[in-house]
Amino acid sequence: MTGNVLHGWRAEEYGRSRNGVALQAYLPAGEGPIAGLVTAAQHGEEAETGLLARRLLERVRGTETRWAVVQCLNPDGLLAGTRQNAAGVDLNRNFPSPTWRADPSFTYPPGIERARRVLANRTNRSSPGEHAGSEPETQAAMGLVERLRPPVVVDLHSPLELILVRGEPPAGVAEALGAAADVPLERELEGPAPGSFDDWLEDRGIPALVYEVEHASLPALCARHLPGLVALLRA
Ligand SMILES: [Zn+2]
């Protein structure tokens, strides 16, 4: 075997994207309940989060963890370099939480400088879907979560450099992640995110950590954020 081989993980297709790309989950070796779920690249322009998740899968063996990992929630968006999926839907506004709204949402263009992240520059327009939960990627993520029933979900995003805590995660998890990377824990974000994955999770009684890394080089992101995530998976 050549390439970046993964050890001890069970790869499982949990659905298909709108363009028919396999949605892949990596499950730990052996049966039994999982300790948590790491997800990444729900926004396709946040490719660095998918790369971080991949590095995590390579550093931790599936035999030494009870966590599951989804490296890419939105492969069509990742391939296109867009936040949205192939139908122009922001998946993180498509979940059937009570907050879902039918009107388009506006976010910052990918790669915008930090200084230009002011509300007037929120010009990247997304559909929240024809109805709540309309997208195959959303439905597949919901199905995976319902089946695995993770005690906590860590959803990787960029570039806000914070950890948004939703619900009550298992004791110490948020604090350990925040301390390991020196990232602040927040309870609220500026601006609404109706129909978000974490809204839906909280509504289902599943705590979530929206872990937003900063815009930085991949080596810098790995050095800062992987130790805490590796420790979490091995705990
Ligand atoms: Zn994001």
Side-chain angles (χ1 to χ4, degrees):
M1 298 269 273
T2 55
N4 295 354
V5 177
L6 303 184
H7 296 281
W9 293 97
R10 291 183 291 136
E12 183 186 293
E13 184 179 318
Y14 69 94
R16 291 266 165 158
S17 72
R18 193 166 267 281
N19 279 351
V21 178
L23 300 166
Q24 194 101 298
Y26 292 91
L27 306 178
E31 300 300 320
I34 63 163
L37 171 66
V38 173
T39 57
Q42 189 188 22
H43 290 139
E45 87 271 34
E46 298 168 11
E48 66 272 42
T49 64
L51 294 171
L52 277 171
R54 179 69 190 193
R55 303 289 88 80
L56 190 58
L57 284 163
E58 291 165 0
R59 290 192 187 192
V60 179
R61 288 170 183 263
T63 48
E64 56 183 359
T65 185
R66 290 307 307 158
W67 281 71
V69 178
V70 174
Q71 189 182 321
C72 183
L73 287 167
N74 178 14
D76 295 347
L78 184 71
L79 287 168
T82 61
R83 177 181 183 89
Q84 304 86 354
N85 75 349
V89 175
D90 184 338
L91 300 175
N92 210 26
R93 302 291 182 274
N94 185 238
F95 280 81
S97 70
T99 57
W100 184 83
R101 279 168 35 184
D103 40 322
S105 63
F106 294 86
T107 53
Y108 297 105
I112 191 171
E113 292 164 46
R114 183 183 282 257
R116 298 186 62 233
R117 290 181 69 92
V118 294
L119 286 181
N121 288 332
R122 280 196 155 197
T123 53
N124 189 16
R125 185 178 192 268
S126 307
S127 162
E130 282 192 8
H131 56 85
S134 61
E135 298 310 295
E137 297 90 347
T138 308
Q139 294 163 13
M142 290 164 57
L144 183 71
V145 166
E146 298 281 15
R147 186 161 58 81
L148 297 179
R149 292 302 298 181
V152 59
V153 173
V154 177
D155 189 29
L156 299 176
H157 286 263
S158 79
L160 298 180
E161 199 174 352
L162 56 83
I163 296 174
L164 175 66
V165 182
R166 302 296 308 269
E168 297 300 328
V173 168
E175 292 74 12
L177 274 180
D182 190 22
V183 176
L185 305 183
E186 306 283 352
R187 276 279 170 186
E188 269 177 51
L189 277 191
E190 221 176 290
S196 64
F197 188 26
D198 50 297
D199 272 7
W200 178 79
L201 287 166
E202 193 174 17
D203 188 51
R204 306 294 299 171
I206 298 174
L209 301 175
V210 182
Y211 189 155
E212 292 254 2
V213 302
E214 69 277 21
H215 274 156
S217 70
L218 190 61
L221 292 174
C222 286
R224 182 176 181 183
H225 299 288
L226 277 182
L229 289 165
V230 166
L232 179 65
L233 262 64
R234 288 192 175 135

